[in-house]
Amino acid sequence: MSAIEELHQQLDQAVNFIRNQVSFEPKTGIILGTGLGSLVDGIDMVGTVDYDKIPHFPVSTVESHAGRLLFGNLEGKPVVCMQGRFHFYEGYSFQQIAFPIRVMKRLGIESLIVSNAAGGMNPNFKPGDIMLIKDHINFFPGNPLIGPNDDKIGDRFPDMYDLYYCGYQQIAREVALQQNLPLQVGVYVGLTGPCLETAAEYRMLRGFGADAVGMSTVPEVIAAHHQRIKILAFSIITDMGLADNMHPCSLDDVIGAASKTEPKLRALIAGCLKRM
Ligand code: HPA
């Protein structure tokens, strides 16, 4: 069997399994980042499927992430929520990180909302800020689209035009304004972690034009865009990475800051979803 046939077989098995557990057609996928798990509280839940039950699904290993797909309605819109995501630093391949995105596409999603925790490098930011991602830099040592391409899934050489869909960015700006929520806008750079960055690395990444840095999102967004899924993405700035003003930063700091800002992000996402 070719690699592409094998991928399709695995996707079929995963999707059939999920459909047998939950009969529901989501239109929007939501990926919850570190400390953002309770974003799902507003969802009128229809069913859940644990990752470890789904054939070929990777299993989440990070303690701060639950591992399940959650189906339900948010603001009257059918959504599937990834409660827990897969990071390259955990040892997953980019193919594995892309797999749930491809599954969600087959389940019916047309849009994807992504959230993450990130270190702020723009000196105008502060911990607790929400940043609308307008673009990204892929600093991972790879790309989920490397390997044989299946034209049925997407183009061999997808352009990155409108990667973070402008229509959704506009909605996010308007909703934030209505909610009196200050919204930062910037470029996210994704890299492997798990180390946070050195002062020299923060200086370099800032020089490259990035406003925030984190260890996720980029591979998932590339896989989604390849399948023509429209993307809306937010970072919660959990700590500052300023080369000339370095501080210790623990996972507790990151999770604490993300959890504190989470209600605001939850309201923002709900407000956006209503108009998407
Ligand atoms: N660097 C990388 N990833 C992060 C950071 C950071 O400072 N904060 C939260 N995730």
Side-chain angles (χ1 to χ4, degrees), residues 184-247:
Q184 306 284 11
V185 181
V187 174
Y188 176 92
V189 56
L191 38 64
T192 67
C195 304
L196 299 194
E197 291 65 38
T198 64
E201 288 164 346
Y202 283 129
R203 186 175 289 110
M204 173 189 75
L205 296 169
R206 180 72 185 138
F208 283 162
D211 298 287
V213 54
M215 307 172 193
S216 66
T217 301
V218 168
E220 295 138 323
V221 163
I222 290 173
H225 183 72
H226 184 231
Q227 303 176 100
R228 300 186 179 85
I229 294 168
K230 290 186 283 191
I231 294 146
L232 172 64
F234 299 102
S235 293
I236 290 187
I237 304 302
T238 53
D239 54 280
M240 289 303 292
L242 298 173
D244 299 311
N245 189 14
M246 294 288 285
H247 294 284

Side-chain angles (χ1 to χ4, degrees), residues 11 13 25 54 66 85 101 120 146 160 173 182 198 209-210 222 239 244 273-275:
L11 286 167
Q13 287 170 357
E25 181 143 333
I54 305 171
R85 63 138 63 96
I101 313 298
I146 290 174
M160 293 284 106
R173 289 169 194 263
T198 64
I222 290 173
D239 54 280
D244 299 311
L273 195 58
K274 213 186 293 189
R275 295 181 41 186

Side-chain angles (χ1 to χ4, degrees), residues 57-226:
F57 228 70
V59 176
S60 190
T61 64
V62 184
E63 275 171 49
S64 49
H65 290 258
R68 60 182 190 168
L69 290 179
L70 192 151
F71 294 84
N73 291 295
L74 183 57
E75 297 297 329
K77 300 284 175 87
V79 301
V80 53
C81 203
M82 280 184 72
Q83 223 178 348
R85 63 138 63 96
F86 305 99
H87 301 87
F88 188 69
Y89 65 73
E90 295 174 86
Y92 299 109
S93 67
F94 295 112
Q95 296 300 328
Q96 286 178 300
I97 296 170
F99 190 78
I101 313 298
R102 293 176 171 155
V103 167
M104 290 194 291
K105 168 75 179 180
R106 287 190 172 208
L107 289 170
I109 70 163
E110 292 163 359
S111 319
L112 182 65
I113 303 176
V114 187
S115 66
N116 61 52
M121 298 186 294
N122 182 325
N124 296 320
F125 292 2
K126 58 185 186 313
D129 280 354
I130 296 174
M131 183 186 90
L132 171 67
I133 301 179
K134 67 172 180 182
D135 203 352
H136 78 214
I137 298 172
N138 181 13
F139 232 70
F140 284 91
N143 185 306
L145 308 185
I146 290 174
N149 187 64
D150 183 354
D151 295 334
K152 282 202 237 91
I153 293 183
D155 294 339
R156 168 76 288 186
F157 301 107
D159 72 21
M160 293 284 106
Y161 176 74
D162 220 9
L163 178 60
Y164 295 89
Y165 178 57
C166 272
Y168 291 167
Q169 287 189 53
Q170 187 56 31
I171 289 173
R173 289 169 194 263
E174 288 171 16
V175 171
L177 203 61
Q178 276 165 6
Q179 295 182 350
N180 242 327
L181 176 75
L183 184 65
Q184 306 284 11
V185 181
V187 174
Y188 176 92
V189 56
L191 38 64
T192 67
C195 304
L196 299 194
E197 291 65 38
T198 64
E201 288 164 346
Y202 283 129
R203 186 175 289 110
M204 173 189 75
L205 296 169
R206 180 72 185 138
F208 283 162
D211 298 287
V213 54
M215 307 172 193
S216 66
T217 301
V218 168
E220 295 138 323
V221 163
I222 290 173
H225 183 72
H226 184 231

